[in-house]
Amino acid sequence: MKALQYVEKEKPAVTELPIPEISDDEVLIAARSVGVCHSDIELLEGRYIIPFQYPLIPGHEWSGEVVKVGSLVKDLVPGDRVVGECVIGDDHFGFSISGAAAEFFKAKESWLHKLPDEVDFTNGALVEPFSVAYYALMQVGNVNASDVLVVLGAGPIGLAVTAGAKALGAVTLVVEPVTHRQEAAKKLGADHVVAPEGLDELLESVSAEKGASVVIEATGNPVVMARALEIAAFRGRVGYIGIDVGREAPAKLGLIQSKELKITGTIGSPGVWPDTLRFMANKNIDLSPLVTKTFEPHD
């Protein structure tokens, strides 16, 4: 079989490898759609948040079809359409263990979830980033049609938040300076899209000068993280989903008390994959505007 392999630092290659042998509790899967995450680029550059070793096969955002099951597998059969979680205990699928960027790969049944009929393979590969957004929205709490929700940053996760917030009924404002990301936000249902310098005037108008009842910070930029406190309304909810480690910026921390803000921080999507899949199916979530380029296997 062919596989994308990171042979060593900054050296990717399409290699010919044996089809993996599965254990009794494992499943052999044929890849149908595999996404590329920024962390895959970091991995190729030789850095990630946990230890890893080359050579390795990346790919943690994926959908696939079951080809073969081990003797102890109970709930999956060949032909089932599946997606899989990427953080399993101490293992990170596609990082510390080989991932899905291959014609065939293996996973344990306990990592996998059946893909609803309403969710195609392309959207299946986007379940992982959407689950991160869904988890953040659930942790913020009770997002609904009464909310004016501001998404700071329209990268893949911010765009997934946009789709989720609109499906929950919130009036959704997306703040993003990059034109093509602004256009993607509009396709995903944003009510308003604005560059950072235009936010104050727009938010004042949309919220009747009250501010955002919900702010989701999705840039990981410390300056923007501090800004989230300033645009939140009295008793607003602020969810931090963008990741930063080690950088600093001045912040008006007194606003947390004076506005009685509820602040949550989330990372990953622990325990919410079944809920995420039901939500995507029931709300007809279409994340295809996130796809900027598609590579066929022969490419």
Side-chain angles (χ1 to χ4, degrees), residues 55-121:
L56 60 85
I57 297 171
H60 62 279
E61 301 175 359
W62 61 270
S63 60
E65 185 174 339
V66 174
V67 174
K68 182 179 180 182
V69 300
S71 60
L72 298 179
V73 172
K74 297 179 180 179
D75 297 323
L76 293 172
V77 297
D80 281 344
R81 302 161 66 248
V82 292
V83 293
E85 302 196 30
C86 55
V87 179
I88 315 101
D90 294 331
D91 290 324
H92 286 209
F93 185 82
F95 297 95
S96 59
I97 56 178
S98 285
E103 291 182 279
F104 300 95
F105 59 96
K106 64 180 181 179
K108 292 187 181 296
E109 182 184 26
S110 58
W111 305 349
L112 302 176
H113 303 278
K114 291 182 182 179
L115 196 60
D117 292 340
E118 298 87 347
V119 181
D120 62 20
F121 282 127

Side-chain angles (χ1 to χ4, degrees), residues 2 14 31-34 103 122 291 293-299:
K2 287 184 170 58
V14 176
R32 293 294 180 252
S33 183
V34 182
E103 291 182 279
T122 296
V291 179
K293 188 172 178 61
T294 301
F295 301 90
E296 297 300 326
H298 61 271
D299 292 345

